[in-house]
Amino acid sequence: MIKKILLTPFQKFVKLESFAGMLLFGMTIIALIWANSPYGASYENLWQYEIGISFQDFELKKPLILWVNDGLMAIFFFLIGLELKRELLVGEINTVKKAAFPFVAAVGGVLVPVGLYLVLNQNPETTKGWGIPMATDIAFALAILSTLGSRVPLSLKIFLTAFAIIDDIAAVLVIAVFYSTNIDWLYILYGIILVGFLGLLYYTKKYSFAIGIILAVVIWFLFLKSGVHPTIAGVLLAFTIPIKRRMNIKLFSDELRLISNDIVTVSSDDGDDDDDQHLLNDEEIAHLDSLDELAFEVRSPLQHLEHKLHSLTAYFILPVFAFANAGVVISTNYNFDFSLLINIAVSLFLGKFIGVALFSYLGIKLKITELPSGVNFKQILGISAIAGVGFTMSIFIDNLAFYGELMSINSAKVGIIIGSVVSGLVGYLILRLSSRKE
């Protein structure tokens, strides 16, 4: 007899993120090969090609790479916002006890890399890159864990996910506060008023996807014009999405049974219930419409959107982002800021490793936190190393920090890639040696 394996939502999430990490890696390699091939100029021209709309006195045209970084990544940040809201309300960081260990680890994983970067930095012009080594790429990190199979307990994956989410909160705040320039507060005020209106509408009336999309585009545009990075609009919009269902599962089950019985009765009366070519009558169509409404009422809007957007971000948005941003020309004839490159790589690897491991150890010794069930501290050391895989968010902050400074951007990207690769390999080896196969 074949045993059917039922995956929990978290296990499905891990599998999705793991494959996304492999896809990210593949697109990174393709971008690097193309950018360093004889056809490298076509790679650059592709992403600098301007597209947009214009009519009368209005024009919105941007290079393709900015549509990716400002537009598609706003959807990614919207998903981050949904995950943050869920985790804060009902997830792995919704109580002080659950959040304590990943929170303490995340604090170390933010403060130490930033501090190390500032200590190592000798050039005042590159000081603004301090935010680059602070975030962990959860897709790449979970992809590395997936290669270890049953050697890694689920509780360790939950710990990694929880502290990476807290990392994301810090990164979002840093982008909003430190990497937004020439701020127009009037546009921000308009945007926040619309966000508040949308949240109030969903709370007092009913969730509407159509209204949400229309207002989301307007709010995104207002933040784009305000000087605050438009991806922040994605996070704010996510917090307006209701998490509660309008109907409990028992009532849904009862209503579903009644509608199902009515459909069977109507079909039987027609005498065409076994006919595959049977066209639905008005009553059957009405019952199916009721099923759609019933499904809408029982779903959590937040959970439903999160589920739908995971595939879009994992299989399209993040790979496109990697493809657009990872194509760095690596040549002896190309000018690199090697001190910046090394600083980024060291801050990602050593900063994350020391920060997460040290703060985790101190949290346990001071009895502020405790190890997750089934996890030993050697495995925490492995996770501390893997935390230095900062690809997506690090490149994103790099583009903001050194906007318009091509040499610094590319130097930091190479440092990010080197630091992430070293972190991933060291973390993998530590976990491989410290975990036995179940």
Side-chain angles (χ1 to χ4, degrees):
M1 182 177 71
I2 298 175
K3 183 179 179 181
K4 185 177 181 180
I5 299 175
L6 297 176
L7 297 177
T8 67
F10 182 80
Q11 287 170 319
K12 291 178 181 177
F13 168 79
V14 168
K15 285 182 175 292
L16 179 68
E17 294 293 321
S18 298
F19 182 75
M22 297 173 190
L23 193 58
L24 272 173
F25 180 73
M27 296 307 289
T28 301
I29 297 300
I30 292 172
L32 283 169
I33 291 173
W34 187 359
N36 289 278
S37 74
Y39 306 99
S42 63
Y43 174 87
E44 183 65 24
N45 291 337
L46 169 65
W47 298 113
Q48 293 304 318
Y49 183 79
E50 287 198 353
I51 58 173
I53 56 173
S54 63
F55 52 87
Q56 292 183 347
D57 298 327
F58 178 83
E59 181 176 87
L60 181 60
K61 287 188 175 180
K62 285 174 168 286
L64 190 55
I65 192 168
L66 290 185
W67 282 111
V68 173
N69 293 347
D70 294 351
L72 286 182
M73 288 300 283
I75 300 174
F76 170 66
F77 274 75
F78 177 73
L79 177 60
I80 286 178
L82 293 176
E83 291 174 347
L84 294 180
K85 183 173 181 177
R86 173 178 51 77
E87 291 293 332
L88 288 168
L89 294 178
V90 297
E92 293 302 320
I93 54 175
N94 71 322
T95 66
V96 173
K97 185 176 180 180
K98 285 183 179 180
F101 192 55
F103 177 79
V104 169
V107 169
V110 169
L111 294 182
V112 176
V114 170
L116 185 59
Y117 178 91
L118 292 173
V119 168
L120 294 176
N121 182 67
Q122 300 297 317
N123 181 2
E125 294 297 319
T126 56
T127 301
K128 55 192 172 184
W130 60 267
I132 296 171
M134 66 181 290
T136 298
D137 191 308
I138 190 171
F140 266 134
L142 287 175
I144 294 168
L145 290 191
S146 71
T147 63
L148 292 161
S150 60
R151 291 176 180 272
V152 177
L154 185 61
S155 55
L156 195 64
K157 295 175 183 177
I158 292 173
F159 163 67
L160 171 62
T161 304
F163 105 75
I165 287 172
I166 296 168
D167 251 12
D168 286 338
I169 296 175
V172 167
L173 291 174
V174 164
I175 290 169
V177 176
F178 297 102
Y179 291 112
S180 297
T181 55
N182 300 321
I183 295 175
D184 188 323
W185 292 102
L186 192 59
Y187 278 118
I188 292 177
L189 178 62
Y190 292 151
I192 290 175
I193 288 173
L194 284 179
V195 170
F197 169 76
L198 189 61
L200 186 64
L201 180 68
Y202 287 164
Y203 181 76
T204 58
K205 300 295 182 183
K206 188 177 181 180
Y207 168 71
S208 169
F209 180 75
I211 293 174
I213 283 288
I214 294 169
L215 287 181
V217 172
V218 175
I219 291 166
W220 175 85
F221 177 76
L222 289 171
F223 272 79
L224 178 70
K225 290 297 184 181
S226 74
V228 173
H229 201 272
T231 51
I232 301 302
V235 178
L236 295 177
L237 283 164
F239 277 80
T240 69
I241 305 298
I243 194 169
K244 289 184 178 179
R245 304 193 308 260
R246 297 175 65 89
M247 177 184 291
N248 64 49
I249 201 71
K250 184 181 184 305
L251 182 57
F252 169 77
S253 180
D254 292 340
E255 292 287 335
L256 182 62
R257 192 179 299 110
L258 290 174
I259 294 174
S260 177
N261 290 338
D262 287 343
I263 291 174
V264 172
T265 301
V266 171
S267 299
S268 299
D269 289 343
D270 286 348
D272 293 324
D273 50 312
D274 293 327
D275 183 6
D276 291 338
Q277 303 302 316
H278 165 64
L279 293 177
L280 301 177
N281 59 40
D282 290 342
E283 195 170 354
E284 288 172 321
I285 291 172
H287 284 314
L288 291 178
D289 288 341
S290 297
L291 278 177
D292 288 338
E293 180 66 21
L294 198 63
F296 179 82
E297 294 288 324
V298 79
R299 287 191 190 112
S300 160
L302 184 145
Q303 192 177 27
H304 179 63
L305 274 176
E306 191 179 352
H307 173 72
K308 293 295 184 183
L309 287 176
H310 262 307
S311 296
L312 177 65
T313 56
Y315 301 144
F316 177 68
I317 292 175
L318 292 183
V320 168
F321 175 81
F323 187 46
N325 288 277
V328 183
V329 177
I330 302 173
S331 168
T332 54
N333 298 322
Y334 195 87
N335 289 325
F336 283 108
D337 183 340
F338 285 99
S339 61
L340 174 62
L341 186 158
I342 294 169
N343 189 356
I344 293 289
V346 170
S347 297
L348 265 177
F349 171 55
L350 284 182
K352 278 289 187 182
F353 181 73
I354 294 171
V356 175
L358 177 62
F359 275 60
S360 296
Y361 177 78
L362 291 175
I364 294 168
K365 284 298 179 183
L366 296 174
K367 301 189 184 301
I368 300 171
T369 64
E370 58 184 31
L371 281 172
S373 175
V375 172
N376 61 57
F377 197 77
K378 289 181 180 178
Q379 292 171 323
I380 297 298
L381 291 177
I383 293 296
S384 301
I386 289 176
V389 179
F391 188 79
T392 304
M393 194 67 80
S394 294
I395 289 180
F396 189 81
I397 296 176
D398 171 28
N399 289 329
L400 296 178
F402 299 119
Y403 183 75
E405 302 172 28
L406 189 60
M407 185 176 76
S408 294
I409 288 175
N410 287 339
S411 300
K413 282 181 182 177
V414 174
I416 291 165
I417 292 170
I418 293 172
S420 296
V421 169
V422 172
S423 297
L425 288 174
V426 171
Y428 173 85
L429 290 173
I430 293 174
L431 287 173
R432 180 87 184 181
L433 295 172
S434 64
S435 306
R436 63 183 182 85
K437 192 172 183 179
E438 293 296 330

Short mmCIF file of all heavy atoms in Angstrom, two decimals, residues 171-219:
data_model
loop_
_atom_site.label_atom_id
_atom_site.label_comp_id
_atom_site.label_asym_id
_atom_site.label_seq_id
_atom_site.Cartn_x
_atom_site.Cartn_y
_atom_site.Cartn_z
N ALA A 171 15.67 45.19 7.83
CA ALA A 171 16.07 45.68 6.50
C ALA A 171 15.05 46.67 5.95
O ALA A 171 15.42 47.70 5.37
CB ALA A 171 16.25 44.50 5.54
N VAL A 172 13.76 46.36 6.12
CA VAL A 172 12.71 47.25 5.64
C VAL A 172 12.79 48.60 6.34
O VAL A 172 12.68 49.67 5.71
CB VAL A 172 11.31 46.61 5.85
CG1 VAL A 172 10.21 47.64 5.66
CG2 VAL A 172 11.11 45.44 4.90
N LEU A 173 13.00 48.59 7.66
CA LEU A 173 13.12 49.83 8.42
C LEU A 173 14.34 50.64 7.98
O LEU A 173 14.28 51.87 7.84
CB LEU A 173 13.21 49.52 9.92
CG LEU A 173 11.93 48.97 10.57
CD1 LEU A 173 12.22 48.57 12.01
CD2 LEU A 173 10.81 50.00 10.51
N VAL A 174 15.45 49.94 7.74
CA VAL A 174 16.68 50.62 7.30
C VAL A 174 16.47 51.27 5.93
O VAL A 174 16.88 52.41 5.70
CB VAL A 174 17.86 49.61 7.26
CG1 VAL A 174 19.03 50.17 6.45
CG2 VAL A 174 18.32 49.30 8.68
N ILE A 175 15.83 50.54 5.02
CA ILE A 175 15.56 51.10 3.68
C ILE A 175 14.68 52.34 3.79
O ILE A 175 14.93 53.36 3.15
CB ILE A 175 14.89 50.04 2.79
CG1 ILE A 175 15.90 48.93 2.44
CG2 ILE A 175 14.36 50.67 1.49
CD1 ILE A 175 15.27 47.71 1.79
N ALA A 176 13.64 52.25 4.63
CA ALA A 176 12.70 53.37 4.76
C ALA A 176 13.36 54.60 5.38
O ALA A 176 13.12 55.73 4.94
CB ALA A 176 11.50 52.93 5.61
N VAL A 177 14.20 54.38 6.38
CA VAL A 177 14.75 55.51 7.14
C VAL A 177 16.05 56.04 6.54
O VAL A 177 16.24 57.26 6.43
CB VAL A 177 14.98 55.10 8.62
CG1 VAL A 177 15.63 56.24 9.39
CG2 VAL A 177 13.66 54.70 9.27
N PHE A 178 16.95 55.13 6.13
CA PHE A 178 18.30 55.56 5.75
C PHE A 178 18.57 55.57 4.24
O PHE A 178 19.52 56.22 3.81
CB PHE A 178 19.34 54.65 6.43
CG PHE A 178 19.31 54.73 7.93
CD1 PHE A 178 18.70 53.74 8.68
CD2 PHE A 178 19.87 55.82 8.59
CE1 PHE A 178 18.67 53.80 10.06
CE2 PHE A 178 19.84 55.90 9.98
CZ PHE A 178 19.23 54.89 10.72
N TYR A 179 17.78 54.86 3.46
CA TYR A 179 18.06 54.79 2.03
C TYR A 179 16.94 55.41 1.19
O TYR A 179 16.69 54.99 0.06
CB TYR A 179 18.32 53.34 1.61
CG TYR A 179 19.62 52.81 2.17
CD1 TYR A 179 19.62 51.81 3.13
CD2 TYR A 179 20.83 53.34 1.77
CE1 TYR A 179 20.81 51.33 3.67
CE2 TYR A 179 22.03 52.87 2.29
CZ TYR A 179 22.01 51.87 3.24
OH TYR A 179 23.19 51.40 3.77
N SER A 180 16.27 56.38 1.76
CA SER A 180 15.29 57.17 1.01
C SER A 180 15.80 58.61 0.99
O SER A 180 16.22 59.14 2.02
CB SER A 180 13.92 57.10 1.69
OG SER A 180 13.44 55.77 1.68
N THR A 181 15.78 59.24 -0.20
CA THR A 181 16.39 60.57 -0.33
C THR A 181 15.39 61.57 -0.93
O THR A 181 14.43 61.19 -1.61
CB THR A 181 17.62 60.50 -1.25
OG1 THR A 181 17.24 59.93 -2.51
CG2 THR A 181 18.71 59.64 -0.64
N ASN A 182 15.67 62.86 -0.70
CA ASN A 182 14.85 63.95 -1.24
C ASN A 182 13.36 63.69 -1.01
O ASN A 182 12.55 63.64 -1.94
CB ASN A 182 15.12 64.12 -2.74
CG ASN A 182 16.57 64.44 -3.03
OD1 ASN A 182 17.19 65.20 -2.29
ND2 ASN A 182 17.12 63.84 -4.08
N ILE A 183 13.01 63.51 0.23
CA ILE A 183 11.65 63.08 0.57
C ILE A 183 10.66 64.23 0.41
O ILE A 183 10.87 65.34 0.91
CB ILE A 183 11.60 62.55 2.02
CG1 ILE A 183 12.46 61.28 2.12
CG2 ILE A 183 10.18 62.26 2.46
CD1 ILE A 183 12.57 60.73 3.52
N ASP A 184 9.56 63.95 -0.29
CA ASP A 184 8.44 64.88 -0.44
C ASP A 184 7.35 64.40 0.51
O ASP A 184 6.62 63.44 0.22
CB ASP A 184 7.94 64.90 -1.89
CG ASP A 184 6.91 65.99 -2.13
OD1 ASP A 184 6.09 66.23 -1.21
OD2 ASP A 184 6.91 66.58 -3.22
N TRP A 185 7.22 65.07 1.65
CA TRP A 185 6.31 64.61 2.70
C TRP A 185 4.85 64.69 2.29
O TRP A 185 4.01 63.95 2.83
CB TRP A 185 6.56 65.40 3.98
CG TRP A 185 7.88 65.09 4.58
CD1 TRP A 185 9.02 65.84 4.52
CD2 TRP A 185 8.24 63.92 5.32
NE1 TRP A 185 10.06 65.22 5.17
CE2 TRP A 185 9.60 64.02 5.68
CE3 TRP A 185 7.52 62.78 5.71
CZ2 TRP A 185 10.27 63.06 6.41
CZ3 TRP A 185 8.19 61.81 6.45
CH2 TRP A 185 9.55 61.95 6.79
N LEU A 186 4.52 65.55 1.34
CA LEU A 186 3.12 65.66 0.90
C LEU A 186 2.68 64.38 0.19
O LEU A 186 1.59 63.86 0.44
CB LEU A 186 2.96 66.87 -0.03
CG LEU A 186 1.51 67.29 -0.34
CD1 LEU A 186 0.76 67.63 0.94
CD2 LEU A 186 1.50 68.48 -1.30
N TYR A 187 3.54 63.86 -0.68
CA TYR A 187 3.23 62.59 -1.36
C TYR A 187 3.10 61.45 -0.34
O TYR A 187 2.23 60.60 -0.46
CB TYR A 187 4.32 62.25 -2.38
CG TYR A 187 4.17 62.96 -3.70
CD1 TYR A 187 5.16 63.84 -4.16
CD2 TYR A 187 3.07 62.73 -4.51
CE1 TYR A 187 5.03 64.49 -5.38
CE2 TYR A 187 2.94 63.37 -5.74
CZ TYR A 187 3.92 64.25 -6.16
OH TYR A 187 3.79 64.89 -7.37
N ILE A 188 4.00 61.45 0.65
CA ILE A 188 3.93 60.41 1.68
C ILE A 188 2.62 60.51 2.45
O ILE A 188 1.97 59.50 2.74
CB ILE A 188 5.12 60.53 2.65
CG1 ILE A 188 6.42 60.19 1.93
CG2 ILE A 188 4.94 59.63 3.87
CD1 ILE A 188 7.65 60.34 2.79
N LEU A 189 2.22 61.74 2.77
CA LEU A 189 0.96 61.95 3.49
C LEU A 189 -0.22 61.41 2.69
O LEU A 189 -1.08 60.70 3.23
CB LEU A 189 0.76 63.44 3.78
CG LEU A 189 -0.54 63.83 4.51
CD1 LEU A 189 -0.59 63.16 5.89
CD2 LEU A 189 -0.65 65.34 4.63
N TYR A 190 -0.26 61.73 1.39
CA TYR A 190 -1.33 61.21 0.54
C TYR A 190 -1.33 59.69 0.53
O TYR A 190 -2.38 59.04 0.62
CB TYR A 190 -1.18 61.73 -0.90
CG TYR A 190 -1.40 63.21 -1.07
CD1 TYR A 190 -0.76 63.92 -2.08
CD2 TYR A 190 -2.25 63.91 -0.22
CE1 TYR A 190 -0.95 65.28 -2.25
CE2 TYR A 190 -2.45 65.28 -0.38
CZ TYR A 190 -1.80 65.96 -1.39
OH TYR A 190 -1.99 67.30 -1.55
N GLY A 191 -0.12 59.12 0.41
CA GLY A 191 0.00 57.65 0.37
C GLY A 191 -0.48 57.01 1.66
O GLY A 191 -1.22 56.01 1.63
N ILE A 192 -0.06 57.57 2.80
CA ILE A 192 -0.45 57.00 4.10
C ILE A 192 -1.95 57.15 4.33
O ILE A 192 -2.60 56.24 4.88
CB ILE A 192 0.35 57.69 5.23
CG1 ILE A 192 1.81 57.25 5.16
CG2 ILE A 192 -0.23 57.34 6.60
CD1 ILE A 192 2.73 57.94 6.13
N ILE A 193 -2.55 58.27 3.89
CA ILE A 193 -4.00 58.45 4.00
C ILE A 193 -4.73 57.36 3.22
O ILE A 193 -5.71 56.77 3.71
CB ILE A 193 -4.42 59.84 3.50
CG1 ILE A 193 -3.97 60.91 4.51
CG2 ILE A 193 -5.94 59.93 3.31
CD1 ILE A 193 -4.18 62.34 4.02
N LEU A 194 -4.26 57.06 2.02
CA LEU A 194 -4.89 56.01 1.21
C LEU A 194 -4.70 54.63 1.83
O LEU A 194 -5.62 53.80 1.79
CB LEU A 194 -4.33 56.03 -0.22
CG LEU A 194 -4.84 57.14 -1.13
CD1 LEU A 194 -4.19 57.05 -2.51
CD2 LEU A 194 -6.35 57.09 -1.27
N VAL A 195 -3.52 54.37 2.41
CA VAL A 195 -3.29 53.10 3.10
C VAL A 195 -4.25 52.96 4.27
O VAL A 195 -4.87 51.92 4.48
CB VAL A 195 -1.82 52.99 3.59
CG1 VAL A 195 -1.66 51.78 4.52
CG2 VAL A 195 -0.87 52.86 2.41
N GLY A 196 -4.40 54.05 5.04
CA GLY A 196 -5.33 54.04 6.17
C GLY A 196 -6.76 53.84 5.73
O GLY A 196 -7.53 53.08 6.36
N PHE A 197 -7.14 54.50 4.63
CA PHE A 197 -8.50 54.34 4.09
C PHE A 197 -8.76 52.89 3.68
O PHE A 197 -9.83 52.33 3.97
CB PHE A 197 -8.70 55.27 2.89
CG PHE A 197 -9.96 55.00 2.11
CD1 PHE A 197 -11.20 55.40 2.60
CD2 PHE A 197 -9.90 54.33 0.89
CE1 PHE A 197 -12.36 55.14 1.89
CE2 PHE A 197 -11.06 54.07 0.17
CZ PHE A 197 -12.29 54.47 0.68
N LEU A 198 -7.76 52.29 3.02
CA LEU A 198 -7.92 50.90 2.57
C LEU A 198 -8.05 49.96 3.76
O LEU A 198 -8.91 49.05 3.77
CB LEU A 198 -6.72 50.50 1.70
CG LEU A 198 -6.81 49.16 0.97
CD1 LEU A 198 -8.00 49.17 0.00
CD2 LEU A 198 -5.52 48.88 0.21
N GLY A 199 -7.21 50.16 4.78
CA GLY A 199 -7.30 49.33 5.97
C GLY A 199 -8.64 49.47 6.67
O GLY A 199 -9.24 48.47 7.11
N LEU A 200 -9.15 50.70 6.77
CA LEU A 200 -10.46 50.95 7.40
C LEU A 200 -11.58 50.31 6.59
O LEU A 200 -12.51 49.73 7.16
CB LEU A 200 -10.68 52.46 7.52
CG LEU A 200 -11.94 52.90 8.28
CD1 LEU A 200 -11.86 52.46 9.74
CD2 LEU A 200 -12.11 54.42 8.17
N LEU A 201 -11.47 50.40 5.27
CA LEU A 201 -12.48 49.80 4.39
C LEU A 201 -12.54 48.29 4.58
O LEU A 201 -13.62 47.71 4.71
CB LEU A 201 -12.14 50.12 2.92
CG LEU A 201 -13.09 49.57 1.86
CD1 LEU A 201 -14.45 50.26 1.95
CD2 LEU A 201 -12.49 49.75 0.46
N TYR A 202 -11.37 47.65 4.62
CA TYR A 202 -11.33 46.20 4.81
C TYR A 202 -11.84 45.80 6.20
O TYR A 202 -12.45 44.75 6.37
CB TYR A 202 -9.90 45.67 4.63
CG TYR A 202 -9.42 45.66 3.20
CD1 TYR A 202 -8.06 45.55 2.91
CD2 TYR A 202 -10.31 45.76 2.13
CE1 TYR A 202 -7.60 45.53 1.61
CE2 TYR A 202 -9.85 45.74 0.82
CZ TYR A 202 -8.50 45.63 0.57
OH TYR A 202 -8.05 45.60 -0.73
N TYR A 203 -11.57 46.64 7.19
CA TYR A 203 -11.95 46.31 8.56
C TYR A 203 -13.46 46.48 8.79
O TYR A 203 -14.08 45.65 9.46
CB TYR A 203 -11.18 47.20 9.54
CG TYR A 203 -11.48 46.93 10.99
CD1 TYR A 203 -10.95 45.81 11.63
CD2 TYR A 203 -12.30 47.79 11.72
CE1 TYR A 203 -11.23 45.55 12.96
CE2 TYR A 203 -12.59 47.54 13.06
CZ TYR A 203 -12.05 46.42 13.66
OH TYR A 203 -12.34 46.15 14.98
N THR A 204 -14.03 47.54 8.24
CA THR A 204 -15.43 47.84 8.52
C THR A 204 -16.40 47.27 7.48
O THR A 204 -17.55 46.97 7.80
CB THR A 204 -15.66 49.37 8.59
OG1 THR A 204 -15.24 49.96 7.34
CG2 THR A 204 -14.85 49.96 9.73
N LYS A 205 -15.93 47.11 6.26
CA LYS A 205 -16.82 46.64 5.19
C LYS A 205 -16.45 45.21 4.79
O LYS A 205 -16.70 44.27 5.50
CB LYS A 205 -16.75 47.58 3.99
CG LYS A 205 -17.18 49.01 4.31
CD LYS A 205 -18.65 49.11 4.69
CE LYS A 205 -19.05 50.55 4.95
NZ LYS A 205 -20.46 50.67 5.38
N LYS A 206 -15.79 45.10 3.65
CA LYS A 206 -15.47 43.78 3.13
C LYS A 206 -14.21 43.87 2.29
O LYS A 206 -13.98 44.85 1.58
CB LYS A 206 -16.64 43.25 2.29
CG LYS A 206 -16.50 41.82 1.84
CD LYS A 206 -17.75 41.38 1.09
CE LYS A 206 -17.64 39.92 0.65
NZ LYS A 206 -18.84 39.46 -0.07
N TYR A 207 -13.40 42.82 2.36
CA TYR A 207 -12.17 42.76 1.56
C TYR A 207 -12.53 42.69 0.08
O TYR A 207 -13.37 41.90 -0.34
CB TYR A 207 -11.35 41.54 1.96
CG TYR A 207 -10.22 41.22 1.00
CD1 TYR A 207 -9.11 42.04 0.92
CD2 TYR A 207 -10.29 40.11 0.17
CE1 TYR A 207 -8.07 41.76 0.05
CE2 TYR A 207 -9.26 39.81 -0.71
CZ TYR A 207 -8.16 40.64 -0.77
OH TYR A 207 -7.15 40.36 -1.64
N SER A 208 -11.89 43.52 -0.73
CA SER A 208 -12.11 43.53 -2.17
C SER A 208 -10.77 43.57 -2.89
O SER A 208 -10.02 44.54 -2.76
CB SER A 208 -12.96 44.74 -2.58
OG SER A 208 -12.97 44.89 -3.99
N PHE A 209 -10.50 42.53 -3.64
CA PHE A 209 -9.23 42.44 -4.37
C PHE A 209 -9.14 43.53 -5.44
O PHE A 209 -8.09 44.16 -5.62
CB PHE A 209 -9.11 41.06 -5.03
CG PHE A 209 -7.84 40.88 -5.81
CD1 PHE A 209 -6.63 40.67 -5.15
CD2 PHE A 209 -7.84 40.93 -7.19
CE1 PHE A 209 -5.44 40.51 -5.87
CE2 PHE A 209 -6.67 40.77 -7.92
CZ PHE A 209 -5.47 40.55 -7.26
N ALA A 210 -10.25 43.81 -6.14
CA ALA A 210 -10.25 44.79 -7.23
C ALA A 210 -9.94 46.19 -6.71
O ALA A 210 -9.09 46.90 -7.27
CB ALA A 210 -11.61 44.78 -7.94
N ILE A 211 -10.61 46.60 -5.63
CA ILE A 211 -10.35 47.91 -5.04
C ILE A 211 -8.91 47.98 -4.54
O ILE A 211 -8.22 49.00 -4.69
CB ILE A 211 -11.35 48.20 -3.89
CG1 ILE A 211 -12.77 48.35 -4.45
CG2 ILE A 211 -10.94 49.46 -3.13
CD1 ILE A 211 -13.82 48.48 -3.39
N GLY A 212 -8.45 46.88 -3.94
CA GLY A 212 -7.09 46.83 -3.43
C GLY A 212 -6.05 47.05 -4.50
O GLY A 212 -5.07 47.79 -4.30
N ILE A 213 -6.23 46.42 -5.66
CA ILE A 213 -5.28 46.56 -6.77
C ILE A 213 -5.21 48.00 -7.26
O ILE A 213 -4.13 48.57 -7.47
CB ILE A 213 -5.67 45.62 -7.94
CG1 ILE A 213 -5.28 44.18 -7.63
CG2 ILE A 213 -5.02 46.05 -9.24
CD1 ILE A 213 -3.79 43.92 -7.67
N ILE A 214 -6.39 48.62 -7.43
CA ILE A 214 -6.44 50.00 -7.94
C ILE A 214 -5.73 50.95 -6.99
O ILE A 214 -4.87 51.75 -7.39
CB ILE A 214 -7.90 50.44 -8.16
CG1 ILE A 214 -8.54 49.62 -9.28
CG2 ILE A 214 -7.97 51.92 -8.50
CD1 ILE A 214 -10.04 49.78 -9.40
N LEU A 215 -6.07 50.85 -5.70
CA LEU A 215 -5.44 51.74 -4.72
C LEU A 215 -3.96 51.42 -4.52
O LEU A 215 -3.15 52.32 -4.27
CB LEU A 215 -6.17 51.64 -3.38
CG LEU A 215 -7.56 52.31 -3.33
CD1 LEU A 215 -8.17 52.17 -1.94
CD2 LEU A 215 -7.47 53.78 -3.71
N ALA A 216 -3.59 50.14 -4.66
CA ALA A 216 -2.18 49.75 -4.51
C ALA A 216 -1.31 50.42 -5.57
O ALA A 216 -0.20 50.90 -5.27
CB ALA A 216 -2.04 48.24 -4.59
N VAL A 217 -1.81 50.48 -6.81
CA VAL A 217 -1.05 51.13 -7.89
C VAL A 217 -0.88 52.62 -7.60
O VAL A 217 0.21 53.18 -7.78
CB VAL A 217 -1.76 50.92 -9.25
CG1 VAL A 217 -1.08 51.75 -10.34
CG2 VAL A 217 -1.74 49.44 -9.64
N VAL A 218 -1.96 53.26 -7.13
CA VAL A 218 -1.90 54.69 -6.81
C VAL A 218 -0.92 54.94 -5.66
O VAL A 218 -0.09 55.85 -5.73
CB VAL A 218 -3.30 55.22 -6.44
CG1 VAL A 218 -3.22 56.68 -5.99
CG2 VAL A 218 -4.26 55.09 -7.62
N ILE A 219 -1.00 54.12 -4.62
CA ILE A 219 -0.12 54.28 -3.46
C ILE A 219 1.34 54.03 -3.85
O ILE A 219 2.24 54.76 -3.43
CB ILE A 219 -0.55 53.32 -2.32
CG1 ILE A 219 -1.91 53.78 -1.76
CG2 ILE A 219 0.49 53.28 -1.20
CD1 ILE A 219 -2.59 52.74 -0.88
#
